[in-house]
Amino acid sequence: MATVTFDQITRIYPKSSKPAVDRLSLEIGDGEFLVLVGPSGCGKTTSLRMLAGLEHVDDGAILIDDTNVVKLAPRDRDIAMVFQNYALYPHMNVGQNMGFALRLAKVPKHEIERRVRDAARILDLEDYLDRKPRQLSGGQRQRVAMGRAIVREPRVFLMDEPLSNLDAKLRVATRAEIAALQQRLGITTLYVTHDQVEAMTMGDRVAVMKDGILQQCDTPRVLYDDPVNAFVAGFIGSPPMNLIDGLVTEEGVRVGTAVFPLPPQLPARPGSALTVGLRPEVLEPSEPDQGIPVTVHLVEELGAEAFVHASIEQESDTLAVPSSTIIARVEPQRAPAKGERIGLRAKSGSMLFFDAATGARIRTGSQTGAAVPS
């Protein structure tokens, strides 16, 4: 096992003036499961590939324990990767696929058999060792790919969107298996995904990236409750946080036709714009004159809950802000009808505020927490 440190690493691809990864600094603890998440093109896979030695590092250092591995060949870094496409050899059976890297390393045959047998037992693949990949389901193939990494007994696991080729139901089951397996083995793991639900349910900590820059890294709960900017707030959560245009007045902040009091000491001047953040679950249906007046245009019935999609009513005077939509998570018994005009009342203390121009979190003097420097 090992610690991993990204120390101000940068990657700029040829013919590009903008870094794919820009001065990334991140520490992964010994035995920690850290998930790197963000939209396509944010630099998460490039960061993983730099750690693997598959991508050049233009600046900065990558340490495994106390050793800078930037100039080491991939085979000398003592890591194992699991890819999204499994990369299994079709002419080899499961056991041969799992032990292939060990045979290349000239590990004794009896040791290969022991490691393959142990990994197969951990992954419930003992009855499939003689089968070819084409005879396996997608989930079983992914477990074989995991087994191939496990038998190498590496210091670090790297997983690049390993569940992206699985159907939705199998993804849920397999992500639970991977998280439980990592906890059991205790191997330091960097896991890359674009799926924030996957990130939140698997990682000890989650690092959110955008445009090559680390936005925030913390536990899933802190990311959800205390995002440092509007991007993290809108990316984390399903459905995501509502980010609504607001206007500061003498009475408070105007959202649509409703005005809400601002927290004491919030640095906002009348006439200034800000972004109001509201999680769907903090909104409750009410009468139109209570809360934010909206018109419902879609209700998603999901059995145990319902998602109400609505348009916020706007003022017709000069203080109006652009029209926006809002999503509320409600009990199915309280779900309004399509086309109905209702109010959405926010639970006390549930509003978050962000700078309308930069997206940075606006905090009162009593609040703590800071954004990751860019």
Side-chain angles (χ1 to χ4, degrees):
M1 293 184 286
T3 60
V4 174
T5 303
F6 293 95
D7 184 9
Q8 295 283 310
I9 63 166
T10 296
R11 174 58 174 144
I12 304 175
Y13 286 109
K15 300 182 180 180
S16 176
S17 58
K18 184 178 180 181
V21 176
D22 191 0
R23 294 173 294 159
L24 173 64
S25 290
L26 187 63
E27 292 189 8
I28 309 173
D30 188 5
E32 182 179 20
F33 193 125
L34 187 134
V35 180
L36 202 54
V37 67
S40 296
C42 72
K44 55 188 185 296
T45 294
T46 300
S47 302
L48 178 142
R49 288 174 60 84
M50 285 194 286
L51 174 56
L54 304 178
E55 199 69 64
H56 178 69
V57 178
D58 292 302
D59 194 18
I62 299 176
L63 282 69
I64 298 180
D65 286 333
D66 297 321
T67 302
N68 188 351
V69 299
V70 165
K71 295 185 179 180
L72 293 182
R75 65 177 178 272
D76 298 326
R77 300 189 183 196
D78 199 8
I79 60 175
M81 283 192 70
V82 179
F83 301 93
Q84 64 185 52
N85 61 358
Y86 316 138
L88 302 179
Y89 296 103
H91 63 285
M92 296 182 183
N93 63 29
V94 168
Q96 292 167 336
N97 264 286
M98 290 171 63
F100 182 69
L102 299 181
R103 289 198 296 276
L104 288 181
K106 302 188 184 303
V107 174
K109 184 177 179 181
H110 70 276
E111 177 65 11
I112 295 175
E113 292 176 349
R114 181 191 68 78
R115 294 193 194 183
V116 169
R117 190 168 55 251
D118 289 348
R121 184 175 62 254
I122 292 171
L123 296 165
D124 196 22
L125 289 171
E126 291 174 289
D127 295 335
Y128 302 93
L129 288 174
D130 294 326
R131 295 192 186 184
K132 298 290 179 63
R134 65 176 179 272
Q135 299 173 298
L136 305 176
S137 67
Q140 290 167 337
R141 292 178 192 178
Q142 191 53 268
R143 277 188 277 160
V144 175
M146 288 285 298
R148 186 174 52 194
I150 290 170
V151 298
R152 295 180 59 186
E153 299 179 353
R155 289 192 294 168
V156 181
F157 274 152
L158 304 181
M159 302 187 187
D160 186 13
E161 304 205 37
L163 308 184
S164 61
N165 289 336
L166 304 182
D167 62 60
K169 184 176 181 180
L170 194 54
R171 282 174 72 109
V172 173
T174 307
R175 75 189 186 205
E177 290 177 0
I178 290 177
L181 176 64
Q182 190 277 337
Q183 188 175 30
R184 176 179 176 183
L185 297 175
I187 297 176
T188 306
T189 300
L190 178 62
Y191 186 105
V192 165
T193 181
H194 65 275
D195 186 334
Q196 56 88 19
V197 174
E198 202 169 284
M200 296 286 281
T201 55
M202 297 179 71
D204 297 325
R205 287 189 302 148
V206 178
V208 183
M209 293 189 70
K210 177 191 178 189
D211 298 333
I213 297 173
L214 178 65
Q215 303 294 305
Q216 187 174 4
C217 181
D218 218 311
T219 63
R221 176 50 56 189
V222 170
L223 290 182
Y224 192 83
D225 290 339
D226 194 21
V228 299
N229 58 36
F231 175 79
V232 175
F235 191 83
I236 297 297
S238 182
M241 178 180 282
N242 296 292
L243 297 172
I244 310 163
D245 294 321
L247 192 68
V248 179
T249 68
E250 294 289 350
E251 294 78 26
V253 58
R254 176 175 290 177
V255 178
T257 60
V259 177
F260 298 91
L262 284 169
Q265 301 179 329
L266 190 78
R269 297 188 304 274
S272 62
L274 51 72
T275 300
V276 178
L278 286 166
R279 290 285 180 197
E281 64 270 19
V282 306
L283 296 167
E284 301 173 337
S286 63
E287 295 300 319
D289 60 347
Q290 301 175 12
I292 306 171
V294 301
T295 300
V296 178
H297 59 78
L298 174 66
V299 177
E300 292 181 291
E301 295 281 3
L302 301 178
E305 59 189 3
F307 295 145
V308 177
H309 299 249
S311 299
I312 299 174
E313 293 185 6
Q314 304 295 334
E315 287 281 9
S316 58
D317 62 20
T318 57
L319 292 179
V321 292
S323 176
S324 55
T325 60
I326 190 168
I327 303 174
R329 177 187 281 138
V330 302
E331 297 176 1
Q333 299 84 358
R334 301 186 63 192
K338 181 180 178 180
E340 187 175 350
R341 183 174 179 269
I342 65 170
L344 287 176
R345 186 169 49 206
K347 295 179 182 178
S348 176
S350 62
M351 283 187 174
L352 301 183
F353 302 94
F354 305 91
D355 186 284
T358 66
R361 177 83 172 275
I362 303 173
R363 301 176 184 272
T364 65
S366 62
Q367 290 175 316
T368 59
V372 175
S374 61

